[in-house]
Amino acid sequence: MIQEKSQSSIEEHVGETHFGYRQVPLEEKKKLVGQVFSSVAENYDLMNDLMSLGIHRYWKRRAIEVLDLPQNNTTRILDLAGGTGDLSLLLADKVKIGSQIVLADINYEMVSVGRTQRIDQGYNLPIDYTIANAEQLPYPDNYFDRVIIGFGLRNVTDKQQALDEMFRVLSSHGKILILEFSQVQNQPLSKVYDWYSFSVLPFLGKIIADDADSYQYLAESIRKHPNQKTLLSMLQHSGFQQCHYENFLQGMVAIHLGVKG
Ligand SMILES: C[S@@+](CC[C@H](N)C(=O)[O-])C[C@H]1O[C@@H](n2cnc3c(N)ncnc32)[C@H](O)[C@@H]1O
């Protein structure tokens, strides 16, 4: 059965927020999201490939292209909510020697699984791994040339505060890129996507990772995430200029970009 609810069907109450379709106390969401990612960490990369039929790799490569990396050896890049490090790996391939890549994520298991895999695969990457909350970044003002956040913002409790933080740590003329699930713009496709999200994803989660609930959360959290236009205005609200977005697969996923003027 498709358990679809419209964004407006759930009221937000003071002191509460949404965790998927559930209303939870604000302070509880971080813990619940933490449980999801601790639970999926071991199978995260495999599930990404299965769920998207590998297409997430294309979106990630495209994101790095659009990020327009400076080509000098002093570039500093933050891969926020970097998880198991797919984007950092692509970044490491594109930056000049001497550049600094910082992967920051709130979840120790996600970072640790990714870092161990890279070491086992024989990589020696110029990546600094940090455990940090996107809402309170432990970096000075104007520090990074680029901030990228891939499939992470959706999970953050206070998204506007996280965007404000990304603005703060970016240098003047620095760029932010958000790669995230978004709102499908095509009605027939949206019906198929709902069926896939609420039936196939939890089923895959159950048989591959013995964890249907985390993939049910994934489907719900996508529906609760601000759509393309709302996210664009949130970027502007944080102070970003030249804000625009690019849709993939009719808006299933979008890249949002902004510049700190
Ligand atoms: C779906 S994964 C994305 C990982 C990686 N960026 C990718 O594209 O494959 C979402 C990540 O966001 C992290 N996350 C959730 N809330 C966060 C927060 N408040 N601050 C930093 N990271 C957070 C999770 O721990 C998880 O690793």
Side-chain angles (χ1 to χ4, degrees), residues 61-124:
R61 280 200 304 275
R62 176 73 188 145
I64 301 298
E65 257 172 49
V66 177
L67 193 55
D68 180 28
L69 292 167
Q71 287 305 309
N72 60 57
N73 57 9
T74 57
T75 304
R76 292 169 177 161
I77 307 163
L78 176 62
D79 175 12
L80 186 54
T84 54
D86 273 8
L87 286 166
S88 286
L89 183 62
L90 293 173
L91 287 166
D93 191 43
K94 296 281 178 214
V95 293
K96 287 258 187 278
I97 291 173
S99 300
Q100 186 187 9
I101 300 169
V102 177
L103 184 160
D105 195 288
I106 201 167
N107 189 284
Y108 175 80
E109 279 84 3
M110 287 291 284
V111 175
S112 169
V113 163
R115 187 169 174 273
T116 306
Q117 270 169 11
R118 299 302 174 223
I119 293 169
D120 290 349
Q121 289 160 355
Y123 286 105
N124 179 16

Side-chain angles (χ1 to χ4, degrees), residues 33 37 44 48 60 81-83 87 105-107 110 132-134 150-152 154-156:
V33 169
F37 286 103
Y44 177 80
N48 265 356
K60 287 171 178 167
L87 286 166
D105 195 288
I106 201 167
N107 189 284
M110 287 291 284
N133 184 351
F151 302 107
R154 197 181 69 247
N155 303 291
V156 175

